[in-house]
Amino acid sequence: MRKFATSGWEKVFECDRTQVLDVLRRFLQEMMQLAVDKGYITLEEKEEFIRPAFASSTDVVVLSK
């Protein structure tokens, strides 16, 4: 868990890294599928673009440093 707050706010937010990444990956998948469905990109372009987001967990750790 990570805690963060912004100056001027009294609230502290706790975020579970895995949950946040899962939600972001789902959003990316849905947005890219919409782009494919609307003809903006091909399925191959979508798969190439999102591949890094679905890399193994060790790759994610390396990218986050």
Side-chain angles (χ1 to χ4, degrees):
M1 294 275 186
R2 286 218 174 183
K3 294 182 180 181
F4 66 93
T6 60
S7 60
W9 282 23
E10 297 297 322
K11 294 183 179 181
V12 174
F13 298 90
E14 290 188 25
C15 298
D16 178 66
R17 181 176 184 268
T18 302
Q19 181 182 9
V20 170
L21 289 175
D22 287 345
V23 170
L24 290 172
R25 286 180 183 123
R26 192 171 343 140
F27 174 76
L28 176 62
Q29 180 72 29
E30 291 174 10
M31 291 303 296
M32 295 303 289
Q33 187 59 52
L34 184 59
V36 170
D37 294 346
K38 297 292 183 179
Y40 291 108
I41 61 173
T42 66
L43 183 58
E44 292 78 20
E45 289 170 324
K46 170 194 159 194
E47 296 301 328
E48 181 181 348
F49 183 83
I50 67 171
R51 188 175 303 122
F54 293 90
S56 70
S57 60
T58 56
D59 293 338
V60 174
V61 171
V62 170
L63 293 174
S64 67
K65 289 185 178 179

